[in-house]
Amino acid sequence: MTRIEMKTPLVEMDGDEMTRIIWRLIKDELICPFVDLKAEYYDLGLENRDATDDQVTVEAAEATKRLGVAVKCATITPNAARVEEYGLKQMWKSPNGTIRAILDGTVFRAPIVVKGIDPYVRTWTKPITLARHAYGDVYKNAEMRIPGAGTVELVYTPADGGEEQRVLVHEYQDAGVAQGMHNLDASIEGFARASLSYALDTKQDIWFACKDTISKTYDHRFKDIFEEVYESEFRAQFEEAGIEYFYTLIDDAVARVMRSEGGFIWACKNYDGDVMSDMVSSAFGSLAMMTSVLVSPHGYWEYEAAHGTVQRHYYKHLEGQKTSTNSVATIFAWSGALRKRGELDGLDELVAFADKLEQATVETIEAGEMTGDLVAITSNPNARKLDTEDFIKAVASRISL
Ligand code: NAP
Ligand code: MG
């Protein structure tokens, strides 16, 4: 059998624990038998991050800037317990944080929708993809307790010595609290551009919402920037693709999302995205069925699963016990990266393979063959629990070129 050729290599970022085991299985059973895989390999496993003083993470991100498309395995973000467990030189930063800072992107999370794993919201028949702005607002705020009567003001002192601006926050008669937050035009623009590009790329409508009626300067700036970026860079392409940009107030958006059938991108401000992504992902059934892609405004794409390294299963695996760990989100990270590589390089066969891999995965679950986490929530009465390896082999048996 001849395997599908690639042109440009993918950036492959290996990771830790159970997902590292799954990574190997996916490559051996689902990718390499069908695709002549070209990849630049970076080992982001914790031992190698420690050995390289975390340089490997930086190199992997730089490679993504050079090659454009990366696929990443889940990795341990060290805490005190991990420093001890692995005898680390120091408590290295979150690899995702390091990579995001270098690529400057927006993270999109989308559920994988399968018959028999039903969303808790009856009307949701298509995925809802959440795009969260990952800069500023309450996550970089300044706040204080106000002990008693007094005045709190916002003060802006221009760097060029221009005229100071002051706004009264509140004249306190008694004790209370106060908070100051900020955001930046450039960051909001990047967020808007990434969200609108992703909508165009996936041919889905996009919603953006905030509270501009109440926050007439701060939230209104977000609304204006989205509109400006849409009008000047996207309107014509959206009309051609037959998709829509829709703005509404955040509370109206929440009400509409609950009644919708899904199938759109929901761009959220930082706090809204934090809260709503947990609501949307749990309502769709399982974190193990959620993919995540970092899209940079400069045209870099990094695909991964939304879950972690599934440590508890890994320890069982190390003890020689069978595990039933769900590999679906990691499979979709690979298919997402291969499809994007195929699109960028004009390789129709590679794009078609990505589709087949996803179809085979969905068909396997719909046939009742699934891992334990899904057996526990499925409405399919004939569901059968497979172990980690057998699930991946069941998917492989359904792929033909
Ligand atoms: P986790 O790996 O997401 O797992 C938490 C629990 O969720 C598991 O114990 C398991 O429940 C269930 N689960 C998650 N993914 C599953 C899968 N694919 N199949 C079946 N069940 C799954 O989170 P964690 O245990 O809190 O974190 C472990 C490590 O992952 C940490 O070191 C953390 O730093 C790292 N992490 C990395 C990323 C990333 O790289 N993107 C994201 C989050 C966390 P049961 O045990 O009940 O079966
Ligand atoms: Mg959250």
Side-chain angles (χ1 to χ4, degrees), residues 16-19 22 46 72-79 82 94-96 100 109 286-289 292 304-313 324-330 371-374:
D16 289 300
E17 298 193 313
M18 201 59 210
T19 41
I22 284 174
L46 187 51
K72 180 181 170 291
C73 180
T75 46
I76 293 170
T77 297
N79 53 17
R82 299 298 200 164
S94 148
N96 284 341
R100 265 170 225 170
R109 269 186 167 198
S286 166
L287 200 57
M289 297 292 282
S292 178
E304 64 168 355
H307 60 78
T309 60
V310 213
Q311 181 181 18
R312 199 182 66 81
H313 295 210
S324 183
T325 313
N326 189 332
S327 50
V328 172
T330 309
T371 46
D373 58 313
L374 296 185

Side-chain angles (χ1 to χ4, degrees), residues 322-362:
K322 284 277 181 205
T323 57
S324 183
T325 313
N326 189 332
S327 50
V328 172
T330 309
I331 295 172
F332 273 64
W334 274 97
S335 59
L338 290 171
R339 177 183 298 107
K340 178 51 68 184
R341 199 60 275 167
E343 286 170 2
L344 294 175
D345 289 344
L347 301 172
D348 295 345
E349 266 193 316
L350 194 58
V351 174
F353 172 74
D355 293 343
K356 282 179 194 163
L357 177 54
E358 291 181 358
Q359 262 162 30
T361 308
V362 168

Side-chain angles (χ1 to χ4, degrees), residues 48-84:
N48 194 46
R49 273 182 278 148
D50 196 49
T52 61
D53 293 336
D54 209 21
Q55 272 313 298
V56 66
T57 309
V58 175
E59 283 166 19
E62 294 296 341
T64 307
K65 282 183 153 178
R66 182 162 40 80
L67 296 173
V69 184
V71 56
K72 180 181 170 291
C73 180
T75 46
I76 293 170
T77 297
N79 53 17
R82 299 298 200 164
V83 170
E84 180 155 342

Side-chain angles (χ1 to χ4, degrees), residues 5 18 31 45 50 77 125 151 166 197 207 340 346 387 401:
E5 293 291 329
M18 201 59 210
I31 312 287
D50 196 49
T77 297
T125 53
T151 307
R166 278 173 184 268
S197 314
W207 300 11
K340 178 51 68 184
D387 67 37
L401 293 186

